[in-house]
Amino acid sequence: MGKKIQFSLVYRDMWQSSGKFQPRKDQLERIAPLFVEMGCFARVETNGGAFEQVNLLAGENPNEAVRAFCKPLKEAGIKTHMLDRGLNALRMYPVPDDVRAMMYRVKHAQGTDITRIFDGLNDVRNIKPSIKWAKEAGMTAQTALCITTSPVHTLEYYTNLADELIEAGAEEICLKDMAGIGQPAFLGKLTKAIKTKHPDILIEYHGHSGPGLSMASILEVCKNGADIIDTAIEPLSWGKVHPDIISVLSMLRNEGFDVPEINMNAYMKARALTQEFIDEWLGYFINPSNKIMSSLLLGCGLPGGMMGSMMADLGGIRQTINNLRKKKGEEELSMDDMLVKLFNEVEYVWPRVGYPPLVTPFSQYTKNIALMNLLTMEQGKGRFVMMDESMWGMILGKSGKVPGKIDPVLVELAKKQGREFTDVDPRTLLTDALEDFKKEMDENGWDYGQDDEELFELAMHPEQYRNYKSGQAKKNFLEDLQKAKDAKLGAKVSLEEATAFKHAMADAIVSPVKGQIFWEFQGDGEATPAVEPFIGKEYKEGDTFCYICTSWGEFEAIPAALGGKLVEIKAKQGDKVNKGDVIAYIQRPTAE
């Protein structure tokens, strides 16, 4: 029997690479036992990356979700791991030291065993403190090499990087092939080089399947000493996500590796449950293009998970560019034309901004520079005219040192604009912030939570946490979900048919009198003006839906019929209505 290979299920990344949101706590509680039953996973990725942020955006508590997801896995002896963006921790911009250090204490207390620390620039300075803090908190510090293909990202570059990280205390190394563009033979050589020098260091390979190289890459790294492979399950495997565990097991078993058996009954149940989550609500926020592999990614090097947002951005820019071309009497560009232009421009921009590995957030910055260049060149203004502070921050070194050299044109442009390059350690540009957030928690009377996890969420995602606490996040989310459902239904039927379908499943809330609508009524005969309720709000039978102030000055409470979910509002705050007018539609609750 050959070398033993273990496997991780990157369930969090499966969702993040497919769409916007993550399953709720109750859904994670249902599916976690099936991952145990499958019997083939030594690890499961449970949180990190954008997990916490999108939970807050959906009006959910991420701390409760993480604890619930980790618990059954840990009880079964499966190690849990998270994704950690180093200097940026769990967000897209730098995090002060005291908040970063707190993250590891909180995450370990919630049940996370391993943190995968990466820096989008492969700047070791942004990773070293995280290694120290993670180990002090009792976590395993796994550090990632962000893999890409360029003249500066050589075998020597990556082996030296691994040496530095291991010397700094890294206990494991992850080859993070975030765009799936790492060449299989190169990855095999890199794995062998690290294992030869550091035989006791565990190596985990994380490769996306977007451009189609991932299976060959998995085979190469395993032949050269890799220990763990990240995988996915249907219906979210393949496309621009990750290879499926079934295929990976089959390939490696055929090559003589010692791999575990898989309980296919449990796999099929997990597959069906994941599809149920998609059908219920998560699928409304999944871009269909992320289910399709694309060799075009090899040229530009962009991560496949960016394709959805990138195509949306490209569509908006295309309209503006075509308007300009019309005025000049030139032929309009198709989306395919624009896509090729963008990929070509990324290839032009990337070396000139120093070959940053195209991973969050620097993939977005590089793409945005290229996108803006397409527009400004069409306007006759040339390149590098529209760059915001984030883009300049990457170029100037405020987020860390880029691997390559900045083009002289950009150096001169920075000088003209009075911008200064820096080589200081980025974390020294930040000041501690926890005391300010403690003060805010105290002033609002908010509980710090178990192991101070609520304080941590506020400090890590201030705006999103405040919206979560106020209820605004849930309101916004339910409105977005209803819009997405309406849009999907509208794509299949006419507006009239969609409206009729919605109304057929709902009760009309009808005004019994003539008067003026108020959505809230707060004592002493005073109606307090308020915005109308959000689409998706749930009512119970007997709940008051709104109030109508009659022409003779009395307020009449309007009941929410048999209860259910609000699906449409026909009258806004303060509107005048006649007797018999429809105020809204509430979808009847389904029978249990």
Side-chain angles (χ1 to χ4, degrees):
M1 185 66 72
K3 177 180 170 61
K4 182 178 181 179
I5 305 293
Q6 293 184 317
F7 299 91
S8 174
L9 174 64
V10 283
Y11 201 64
R12 177 210 63 85
D13 199 15
M14 283 166 48
W15 290 101
Q16 186 169 323
S17 296
S18 299
K20 181 177 180 179
F21 289 104
Q22 297 279 335
R24 297 186 308 264
K25 172 194 170 187
D26 61 293
Q27 294 173 320
L28 295 171
E29 286 176 317
R30 291 173 63 198
I31 202 163
L34 293 174
F35 299 154
V36 176
E37 287 182 39
M38 285 173 67
C40 57
F41 295 120
R43 299 180 173 188
V44 173
E45 186 190 33
T46 55
N47 65 106
F51 181 93
E52 285 74 8
Q53 184 175 14
V54 297
N55 263 266
L56 292 171
L57 289 173
E60 301 290 331
N61 188 304
N63 297 314
E64 295 174 0
V66 173
R67 288 183 183 273
F69 195 15
C70 290
K71 187 174 184 292
L73 300 172
K74 287 181 67 65
E75 289 174 350
I78 294 175
K79 291 187 176 181
T80 59
H81 61 105
M82 62 177 281
L83 183 66
D84 161 11
R85 295 168 178 155
L87 178 66
N88 293 349
L90 302 181
R91 64 192 192 196
M92 297 284 280
Y93 58 96
V95 177
D97 281 3
D98 57 347
V99 180
R100 284 174 69 188
M102 182 186 196
M103 176 178 72
Y104 301 103
R105 298 193 298 271
V106 168
K107 288 301 171 184
H108 184 256
Q110 290 177 339
T112 311
D113 299 307
I114 304 161
T115 183
R116 176 175 296 168
I117 312 161
F118 80 93
D119 177 66
L121 297 175
N122 283 331
D123 189 332
V124 176
R125 295 176 302 173
N126 291 336
I127 298 176
K128 278 185 177 180
S130 294
I131 295 174
K132 173 178 175 290
W133 293 324
K135 294 172 76 171
E136 287 175 349
M139 299 182 77
T140 298
Q142 180 189 89
T143 58
L145 313 182
C146 292
I147 303 297
T148 192
T149 302
S150 84
V152 302
H153 292 92
T154 62
L155 186 63
E156 182 182 13
Y157 166 87
Y158 279 116
T159 53
N160 288 341
L161 181 60
D163 289 344
E164 283 190 72
L165 292 170
I166 292 168
E167 184 180 350
E171 298 162 279
E172 302 179 0
I173 292 291
C174 172
L175 306 185
K176 182 176 170 60
D177 192 3
M178 58 278 173
I181 64 170
Q183 291 296 321
F186 176 85
L187 291 168
K189 292 175 184 176
L190 175 57
T191 303
K192 185 175 183 179
I194 297 172
K195 272 292 185 181
T196 299
K197 190 169 184 180
H198 307 282
D200 296 329
I201 291 293
L202 185 148
I203 296 179
E204 187 162 355
Y205 175 68
H206 174 92
H208 285 249
S209 51
L213 302 180
S214 57
M215 289 294 279
S217 296
I218 289 172
L219 187 57
E220 282 294 321
V221 298
C222 287
K223 285 182 175 180
N224 285 280
D227 302 282
I228 301 184
I229 303 298
D230 285 356
T231 60
I233 61 171
E234 291 184 358
L236 293 179
S237 51
W238 303 112
K240 297 183 179 71
V241 187
H242 309 277
D244 193 280
I245 180 64
I246 295 175
S247 299
V248 177
L249 285 172
S250 175
M251 176 182 69
L252 294 180
R253 184 177 291 112
N254 188 64
E255 286 294 314
F257 289 96
D258 180 5
V259 297
E261 296 295 328
I262 181 172
N263 180 334
M264 284 304 300
N265 287 331
Y267 176 96
M268 294 304 289
K269 289 178 183 177
R271 178 178 182 264
L273 204 51
T274 299
Q275 185 63 55
E276 178 187 314
F277 301 162
I278 292 172
D279 295 340
E280 181 185 342
W281 68 281
L282 285 156
Y284 291 103
F285 301 96
I286 290 178
N287 191 301
S289 68
N290 286 340
K291 287 295 293 178
I292 303 170
M293 298 170 75
S294 175
S295 300
L296 295 174
L297 296 170
L298 286 169
C300 67
L302 292 172
M306 278 182 57
M307 290 296 285
S309 61
M310 185 183 73
M311 294 304 288
D313 293 342
L314 199 59
I317 290 290
R318 171 176 170 256
Q319 184 175 356
T320 303
I321 286 177
N322 279 338
N323 287 338
L324 292 169
R325 293 178 71 87
K326 278 183 187 178
K327 292 178 181 178
K328 294 185 288 186
E330 296 176 357
E331 185 178 351
E332 293 187 27
L333 300 174
S334 67
M335 279 297 288
D336 285 346
D337 294 332
M338 288 293 297
L339 191 61
V340 172
K341 277 182 170 290
L342 178 60
F343 284 173
N344 288 340
E345 189 61 20
V346 168
E347 289 186 57
Y348 178 88
V349 168
W350 190 35
R352 287 163 176 78
V353 296
Y355 288 113
L358 295 178
V359 64
T360 303
F362 305 108
S363 51
Q364 285 89 336
Y365 299 162
T366 304
K367 177 264 294 181
N368 288 342
I369 293 172
L371 200 60
M372 291 300 102
N373 282 355
L374 293 182
L375 176 59
T376 55
M377 285 192 293
E378 196 68 45
Q379 294 170 330
K381 298 177 181 178
R383 289 184 167 99
F384 306 118
V385 177
M386 295 176 64
M387 295 199 297
D388 64 19
E389 292 304 311
S390 297
M391 300 173 196
W392 271 115
M394 173 184 71
I395 294 167
L396 297 172
K398 293 181 179 180
S399 299
K401 180 177 172 54
V402 294
K405 293 183 178 180
I406 301 297
D407 190 272
V409 171
L410 287 169
V411 174
E412 185 61 27
L413 182 58
K415 184 178 179 181
K416 285 182 179 179
Q417 295 183 8
R419 300 178 183 273
E420 295 183 0
F421 286 83
T422 180
D423 59 1
V424 301
D425 187 336
R427 60 188 280 242
T428 64
L429 301 174
L430 306 171
T431 56
D432 285 350
L434 270 181
E435 289 305 315
D436 288 339
F437 289 115
K438 286 180 180 178
K439 182 179 178 182
E440 181 176 346
M441 295 286 283
D442 293 340
E443 289 175 348
N444 284 300
W446 293 341
D447 192 283
Y448 283 24
Q450 189 175 352
D451 300 301
D452 290 342
E453 60 190 12
E454 297 299 310
L455 170 62
F456 165 71
E457 285 301 335
L458 173 64
M460 183 60 66
H461 301 111
E463 181 182 353
Q464 292 87 352
Y465 188 79
R466 292 171 190 134
N467 286 340
Y468 158 73
K469 292 293 285 186
S470 70
Q472 186 65 40
K474 177 63 77 174
K475 175 181 177 180
N476 293 343
F477 165 72
L478 290 173
E479 288 179 346
D480 288 344
L481 178 59
Q482 189 60 49
K483 288 177 184 176
K485 289 180 176 180
D486 290 346
K488 186 172 183 179
L489 181 61
K492 299 178 181 178
V493 299
S494 68
L495 177 61
E496 292 77 12
E497 290 172 323
T499 301
F501 178 78
K502 188 190 299 182
H503 292 175
M505 302 175 64
D507 291 317
I509 306 299
V510 177
S511 175
V513 294
K514 181 179 180 179
Q516 185 177 18
I517 288 184
F518 290 92
W519 292 109
E520 292 180 358
F521 182 73
Q522 297 183 344
D524 299 327
E526 179 185 357
T528 303
V531 296
E532 59 272 11
F534 54 87
I535 300 298
K537 182 174 180 179
E538 298 279 354
Y539 292 89
K540 296 178 182 177
E541 183 176 1
D543 282 353
T544 296
F545 180 65
C546 67
Y547 299 88
I548 294 180
C549 180
T550 66
S551 56
W552 53 91
E554 292 184 2
F555 287 94
E556 183 157 343
I558 309 301
L562 297 176
K565 182 172 66 175
L566 180 63
V567 294
E568 185 177 354
I569 294 175
K570 303 289 287 185
K572 295 184 178 295
Q573 171 72 12
D575 279 359
K576 301 289 180 63
V577 293
N578 292 313
K579 182 177 180 179
D581 284 353
V582 175
I583 301 170
Y585 288 90
I586 294 181
Q587 183 176 305
R588 293 182 290 275
T590 55
E592 294 294 335

